[in-house]
Amino acid sequence: MDEKDAIAMLGALSQEMRLRIIRYLIGRGDDGASAGEIAEAMDAISSKASFHLSALERAGLITSERQSRKIIYRVSFLGLGGLLSFILNDCCSNHPDIREHCGLPNFEC
Amino acid sequence: MDEKDAIAMLGALSQEMRLRIIRYLIGRGDDGASAGEIAEAMDAISSKASFHLSALERAGLITSERQSRKIIYRVSFLGLGGLLSFILNDCCSNHPDIREHCGLPNFEC
DNA sequence: TCAACATTTCAAGAGAGGTTGAAATATGGA
DNA sequence: TCCATATTTCAACCTCTCTTGAAATGTTGA
Protein backbone atom coordinates (compact mmCIF):
# COMPACT_ATOMS: atom_id res chain seq x y z
CA MET A 1 0.00 0.00 0.00
CA ASP A 2 1.87 3.03 -1.26
CA GLU A 3 0.68 6.61 -1.63
CA LYS A 4 -0.75 5.99 -5.10
CA ASP A 5 -2.85 3.07 -3.83
CA ALA A 6 -4.09 5.12 -0.90
CA ILE A 7 -5.07 8.03 -3.15
CA ALA A 8 -6.96 5.63 -5.42
CA MET A 9 -8.82 4.16 -2.43
CA LEU A 10 -9.63 7.56 -0.94
CA GLY A 11 -10.90 8.72 -4.32
CA ALA A 12 -13.01 5.61 -4.70
CA LEU A 13 -14.59 6.15 -1.27
CA SER A 14 -15.27 9.84 -1.81
CA GLN A 15 -18.46 9.36 -3.77
CA GLU A 16 -21.90 8.98 -2.31
CA MET A 17 -23.06 5.86 -4.08
CA ARG A 18 -19.71 4.13 -3.70
CA LEU A 19 -19.63 4.81 0.03
CA ARG A 20 -23.21 3.47 0.26
CA ILE A 21 -22.17 0.35 -1.65
CA ILE A 22 -19.29 -0.23 0.78
CA ARG A 23 -21.59 0.14 3.77
CA TYR A 24 -24.14 -2.17 2.16
CA LEU A 25 -21.51 -4.81 1.42
CA ILE A 26 -20.10 -4.58 4.95
CA GLY A 27 -23.62 -5.34 6.15
CA ARG A 28 -23.78 -8.35 3.86
CA GLY A 29 -20.54 -9.76 5.23
CA ASP A 30 -19.05 -12.87 3.65
CA ASP A 31 -22.22 -13.60 1.68
CA GLY A 32 -21.64 -10.49 -0.39
CA ALA A 33 -24.25 -9.43 -2.94
CA SER A 34 -24.76 -9.72 -6.66
CA ALA A 35 -24.44 -6.73 -8.97
CA GLY A 36 -28.19 -6.82 -9.48
CA GLU A 37 -28.96 -6.87 -5.77
CA ILE A 38 -26.59 -3.97 -5.23
CA ALA A 39 -28.10 -1.95 -8.07
CA GLU A 40 -31.57 -2.55 -6.66
CA ALA A 41 -30.50 -1.64 -3.12
CA MET A 42 -28.93 1.57 -4.46
CA ASP A 43 -32.00 2.29 -6.63
CA ALA A 44 -29.70 2.64 -9.63
CA ILE A 45 -29.71 1.38 -13.21
CA SER A 46 -27.36 -1.53 -13.86
CA SER A 47 -24.79 0.38 -15.89
CA LYS A 48 -24.44 3.02 -13.20
CA ALA A 49 -23.97 0.43 -10.46
CA SER A 50 -21.52 -1.47 -12.64
CA PHE A 51 -19.50 1.68 -13.24
CA HIS A 52 -19.14 2.30 -9.51
CA LEU A 53 -18.53 -1.36 -8.67
CA SER A 54 -15.66 -1.51 -11.11
CA ALA A 55 -14.21 1.69 -9.62
CA LEU A 56 -14.32 0.13 -6.14
CA GLU A 57 -12.80 -3.10 -7.39
CA ARG A 58 -10.05 -1.28 -9.30
CA ALA A 59 -9.17 0.53 -6.08
CA GLY A 60 -8.97 -2.76 -4.17
CA LEU A 61 -11.90 -2.08 -1.86
CA ILE A 62 -14.13 -4.91 -3.06
CA THR A 63 -13.68 -8.28 -4.74
CA SER A 64 -15.80 -10.03 -7.34
CA GLU A 65 -16.50 -13.68 -8.04
CA ARG A 66 -18.73 -15.09 -10.72
CA GLN A 67 -21.34 -17.61 -9.48
CA SER A 68 -23.03 -18.98 -12.59
CA ARG A 69 -24.98 -16.07 -14.04
CA LYS A 70 -24.41 -13.67 -11.17
CA ILE A 71 -21.30 -11.84 -10.08
CA ILE A 72 -20.95 -11.68 -6.32
CA TYR A 73 -19.24 -8.67 -4.81
CA ARG A 74 -17.75 -8.59 -1.32
CA VAL A 75 -16.01 -5.89 0.64
CA SER A 76 -12.25 -6.43 0.86
CA PHE A 77 -11.35 -6.26 4.53
CA LEU A 78 -7.73 -6.44 3.46
CA GLY A 79 -8.11 -3.36 1.28
CA LEU A 80 -10.14 -1.36 3.78
CA GLY A 81 -7.76 -2.32 6.57
CA GLY A 82 -4.77 -1.37 4.48
CA LEU A 83 -6.21 2.07 3.90
CA LEU A 84 -6.89 2.57 7.60
CA SER A 85 -3.38 1.41 8.46
CA PHE A 86 -1.92 3.78 5.89
CA ILE A 87 -3.70 6.78 7.38
CA LEU A 88 -3.01 5.73 10.96
CA ASN A 89 0.65 4.99 10.38
CA ASP A 90 1.24 8.09 8.32
CA CYS A 91 -0.39 9.84 11.21
CA CYS A 92 1.25 8.16 14.18
CA SER A 93 4.74 7.60 12.84
CA ASN A 94 5.40 11.29 12.76
CA HIS A 95 3.45 12.49 15.75
CA PRO A 96 2.98 10.02 18.61
CA ASP A 97 0.21 11.94 20.40
CA ILE A 98 -2.12 12.21 17.43
CA ARG A 99 -3.97 9.09 18.55
CA GLU A 100 -5.27 11.03 21.50
CA HIS A 101 -6.56 13.83 19.29
CA CYS A 102 -8.17 11.24 17.08
CA GLY A 103 -10.30 9.92 19.92
CA LEU A 104 -8.84 6.50 19.34
CA PRO A 105 -7.86 4.12 22.14
CA ASN A 106 -4.20 3.60 22.90
CA PHE A 107 -2.23 1.13 20.86
CA GLU A 108 1.21 0.70 19.35
CA CYS A 109 1.66 2.15 15.90
CA MET B 1 -19.32 14.10 11.23
CA ASP B 2 -21.98 12.82 8.88
CA GLU B 3 -21.63 11.06 5.55
CA LYS B 4 -21.41 14.31 3.61
CA ASP B 5 -18.54 15.55 5.78
CA ALA B 6 -16.72 12.24 5.42
CA ILE B 7 -17.10 12.28 1.63
CA ALA B 8 -15.73 15.83 1.53
CA MET B 9 -12.73 14.82 3.63
CA LEU B 10 -12.06 11.68 1.60
CA GLY B 11 -12.27 13.72 -1.59
CA ALA B 12 -9.91 16.31 -0.18
CA LEU B 13 -7.36 13.65 0.76
CA SER B 14 -7.56 11.84 -2.57
CA GLN B 15 -5.25 14.21 -4.39
CA GLU B 16 -1.49 13.91 -4.53
CA MET B 17 -0.48 17.42 -3.54
CA ARG B 18 -3.14 17.65 -0.85
CA LEU B 19 -2.04 14.37 0.73
CA ARG B 20 1.55 15.61 0.61
CA ILE B 21 0.49 18.86 2.28
CA ILE B 22 -1.21 16.91 5.07
CA ARG B 23 1.88 14.79 5.65
CA TYR B 24 4.06 17.89 5.60
CA LEU B 25 1.84 19.68 8.11
CA ILE B 26 1.72 16.63 10.38
CA GLY B 27 5.50 16.77 10.42
CA ARG B 28 5.39 20.44 11.35
CA GLY B 29 3.13 19.73 14.32
CA ASP B 30 1.73 22.64 16.32
CA ASP B 31 4.10 25.11 14.67
CA GLY B 32 2.32 24.66 11.38
CA ALA B 33 3.66 26.35 8.27
CA SER B 34 2.87 29.44 6.23
CA ALA B 35 1.28 29.25 2.80
CA GLY B 36 4.58 30.33 1.28
CA GLU B 37 6.58 27.66 3.10
CA ILE B 38 4.07 25.04 2.04
CA ALA B 39 4.13 26.18 -1.59
CA GLU B 40 7.93 26.06 -1.57
CA ALA B 41 7.99 22.62 0.07
CA MET B 42 5.54 21.36 -2.55
CA ASP B 43 7.48 23.05 -5.36
CA ALA B 44 4.26 24.73 -6.48
CA ILE B 45 3.26 28.24 -7.51
CA SER B 46 1.39 30.17 -4.84
CA SER B 47 -2.02 30.08 -6.51
CA LYS B 48 -1.86 26.33 -6.91
CA ALA B 49 -0.91 25.79 -3.27
CA SER B 50 -3.59 28.23 -2.16
CA PHE B 51 -6.21 26.36 -4.18
CA HIS B 52 -5.36 23.09 -2.45
CA LEU B 53 -4.99 24.66 0.99
CA SER B 54 -8.47 26.12 0.76
CA ALA B 55 -9.83 22.73 -0.35
CA LEU B 56 -8.26 21.10 2.71
CA GLU B 57 -9.55 23.82 5.01
CA ARG B 58 -13.06 23.66 3.53
CA ALA B 59 -13.06 19.92 4.25
CA GLY B 60 -12.01 20.51 7.86
CA LEU B 61 -8.63 18.83 7.60
CA ILE B 62 -6.49 21.91 8.31
CA THR B 63 -6.93 25.22 10.07
CA SER B 64 -5.57 28.66 9.23
CA GLU B 65 -4.54 31.58 11.37
CA ARG B 66 -3.17 34.90 10.17
CA GLN B 67 0.08 35.97 11.84
CA SER B 68 0.86 39.42 10.58
CA ARG B 69 1.68 39.06 6.91
CA LYS B 70 1.69 35.29 6.86
CA ILE B 71 -1.11 32.78 7.16
CA ILE B 72 -0.18 29.77 9.25
CA TYR B 73 -1.76 26.45 8.39
CA ARG B 74 -1.93 23.51 10.78
CA VAL B 75 -3.31 20.01 10.42
CA SER B 76 -6.60 19.57 12.27
CA PHE B 77 -6.17 16.54 14.49
CA LEU B 78 -9.86 16.85 15.31
CA GLY B 79 -10.80 16.63 11.64
CA LEU B 80 -8.39 13.83 10.80
CA GLY B 81 -9.45 11.92 13.92
CA GLY B 82 -13.10 12.41 13.06
CA LEU B 83 -12.57 10.90 9.64
CA LEU B 84 -10.74 7.91 11.09
CA SER B 85 -13.47 7.40 13.66
CA PHE B 86 -16.11 7.61 10.95
CA ILE B 87 -14.47 4.90 8.89
CA LEU B 88 -13.65 2.73 11.89
CA ASN B 89 -17.10 3.01 13.42
CA ASP B 90 -18.88 2.50 10.15
CA CYS B 91 -16.67 -0.50 9.83
CA CYS B 92 -16.84 -1.93 13.33
CA SER B 93 -20.42 -1.17 14.25
CA ASN B 94 -21.69 -3.53 11.59
CA HIS B 95 -19.07 -6.20 11.68
CA PRO B 96 -17.21 -6.75 14.96
CA ASP B 97 -14.40 -8.86 13.53
CA ILE B 98 -13.30 -6.41 10.85
CA ARG B 99 -10.67 -4.98 13.16
CA GLU B 100 -8.80 -8.23 12.87
CA HIS B 101 -8.89 -8.14 9.08
CA CYS B 102 -7.70 -4.55 9.22
CA GLY B 103 -4.51 -5.55 11.03
CA LEU B 104 -5.43 -3.16 13.79
CA PRO B 105 -4.87 -3.90 17.47
CA ASN B 106 -7.85 -4.78 19.61
CA PHE B 107 -9.95 -2.01 21.07
CA GLU B 108 -13.57 -1.22 21.78
CA CYS B 109 -15.47 0.38 18.93
C1' DT C 1 1.31 57.26 2.05
C1' DC C 2 4.15 54.24 -0.61
C1' DA C 3 6.58 50.14 -1.68
C1' DA C 4 7.52 45.40 -0.77
C1' DC C 5 5.78 41.20 0.80
C1' DA C 6 2.32 37.33 1.48
C1' DT C 7 -1.56 35.35 -0.04
C1' DT C 8 -5.95 34.86 -2.36
C1' DT C 9 -9.21 35.42 -6.15
C1' DC C 10 -10.40 35.27 -10.85
C1' DA C 11 -11.04 33.66 -15.70
C1' DA C 12 -9.83 30.52 -19.11
C1' DG C 13 -8.52 26.13 -20.81
C1' DA C 14 -7.46 21.19 -20.28
C1' DG C 15 -8.66 17.04 -18.34
C1' DA C 16 -11.04 13.64 -15.30
C1' DG C 17 -15.23 11.78 -13.50
C1' DG C 18 -20.41 10.72 -13.50
C1' DT C 19 -24.88 9.51 -15.89
C1' DT C 20 -27.58 7.57 -19.46
C1' DG C 21 -29.51 4.31 -22.90
C1' DA C 22 -28.19 1.10 -26.22
C1' DA C 23 -25.42 -2.60 -27.63
C1' DA C 24 -22.32 -6.38 -26.50
C1' DT C 25 -20.81 -10.37 -23.69
C1' DA C 26 -21.46 -14.35 -20.76
C1' DT C 27 -24.25 -18.06 -18.60
C1' DG C 28 -27.76 -21.60 -17.91
C1' DG C 29 -31.89 -24.00 -19.12
C1' DA C 30 -35.64 -25.53 -22.50
C1' DT D 1 -29.57 -24.00 -30.76
C1' DC D 2 -32.49 -20.37 -28.96
C1' DC D 3 -34.16 -17.53 -25.39
C1' DA D 4 -34.09 -15.25 -21.00
C1' DT D 5 -31.20 -13.57 -17.42
C1' DA D 6 -27.17 -11.04 -15.48
C1' DT D 7 -23.79 -7.91 -16.15
C1' DT D 8 -20.48 -5.06 -18.60
C1' DT D 9 -18.91 -1.99 -22.23
C1' DC D 10 -19.44 1.86 -25.17
C1' DA D 11 -20.22 6.62 -26.81
C1' DA D 12 -22.18 10.89 -25.92
C1' DC D 13 -22.96 14.44 -22.96
C1' DC D 14 -22.51 17.19 -18.94
C1' DT D 15 -20.29 18.65 -14.81
C1' DC D 16 -16.63 19.11 -11.66
C1' DT D 17 -11.73 19.54 -10.72
C1' DC D 18 -7.06 21.07 -11.63
C1' DT D 19 -3.59 24.28 -13.44
C1' DT D 20 -1.88 28.69 -14.88
C1' DG D 21 -0.79 33.65 -15.02
C1' DA D 22 -2.60 37.99 -13.95
C1' DA D 23 -4.97 40.96 -10.98
C1' DA D 24 -6.73 42.02 -6.41
C1' DT D 25 -6.47 42.02 -1.31
C1' DG D 26 -4.35 42.58 3.04
C1' DT D 27 -0.16 43.70 6.00
C1' DT D 28 4.05 45.80 7.54
C1' DG D 29 7.72 49.09 7.87
C1' DA D 30 10.12 53.23 5.91
Side-chain angles (χ1 to χ4, degrees), chain B residues 14-107:
Chain B
S14 68
Q15 207 279 343
E16 193 196 342
M17 178 168 297
R18 291 199 292 261
L19 190 54
R20 276 170 55 215
I21 290 175
I22 289 291
R23 298 172 103 164
Y24 177 72
L25 287 179
I26 285 171
R28 300 297 295 253
D30 288 340
D31 292 344
S34 69
E37 286 176 300
I38 296 168
E40 193 180 9
M42 298 300 127
D43 194 29
I45 60 177
S46 60
S47 61
K48 185 177 183 180
S50 179
F51 171 79
H52 289 301
L53 285 168
S54 75
L56 287 168
E57 186 172 24
R58 213 179 318 119
L61 287 165
I62 64 175
T63 63
S64 69
E65 177 202 2
R66 182 174 279 276
Q67 274 185 7
S68 92
R69 269 194 273 219
K70 303 185 175 182
I71 297 183
I72 305 297
Y73 286 95
R74 293 183 186 85
V75 68
S76 166
F77 298 140
L78 208 65
L80 209 46
L83 177 60
L84 286 168
S85 293
F86 177 84
I87 303 178
L88 280 167
N89 289 327
D90 247 40
C91 195
C92 296
S93 62
N94 289 317
H95 226 256
D97 60 352
I98 284 182
R99 263 176 287 113
E100 189 195 343
H101 289 91
C102 292
L104 290 173
N106 246 18
F107 56 81

Side-chain angles (χ1 to χ4, degrees), chain A residues 9-28:
Chain A
M9 282 194 182
L10 290 163
L13 279 181
S14 67
Q15 208 277 345
E16 193 197 341
M17 177 168 297
R18 290 200 291 261
L19 190 52
R20 277 170 55 216
I21 290 174
I22 290 291
R23 298 172 102 164
Y24 177 72
L25 286 180
I26 286 171
R28 300 297 294 254

Side-chain angles (χ1 to χ4, degrees), chain A residues 2-106:
Chain A
D2 61 11
E3 190 176 287
K4 271 203 177 340
D5 298 330
I7 287 173
M9 282 194 182
L10 290 163
L13 279 181
S14 67
Q15 208 277 345
E16 193 197 341
M17 177 168 297
R18 290 200 291 261
L19 190 52
R20 277 170 55 216
I21 290 174
I22 290 291
R23 298 172 102 164
Y24 177 72
L25 286 180
I26 286 171
R28 300 297 294 254
D30 289 338
D31 291 345
S34 69
E37 284 176 301
I38 296 168
E40 192 180 10
M42 299 299 129
D43 195 28
I45 61 177
S46 61
S47 60
K48 186 177 182 180
S50 179
F51 171 79
H52 289 301
L53 285 168
S54 74
L56 287 168
E57 187 173 23
R58 213 178 320 120
L61 288 166
I62 64 176
T63 63
S64 70
E65 176 202 3
R66 182 174 278 278
Q67 275 185 8
S68 92
R69 269 193 273 215
K70 303 186 175 179
I71 296 183
I72 304 298
Y73 286 95
R74 295 183 184 84
V75 68
S76 166
F77 297 140
L78 207 66
L80 209 45
L83 177 61
L84 285 168
S85 292
F86 177 85
I87 302 177
L88 281 167
N89 289 327
D90 246 38
C91 194
C92 296
S93 62
N94 289 318
H95 226 258
D97 59 353
I98 284 181
R99 263 177 286 113
E100 189 195 344
H101 290 90
C102 292
L104 290 173
N106 245 19

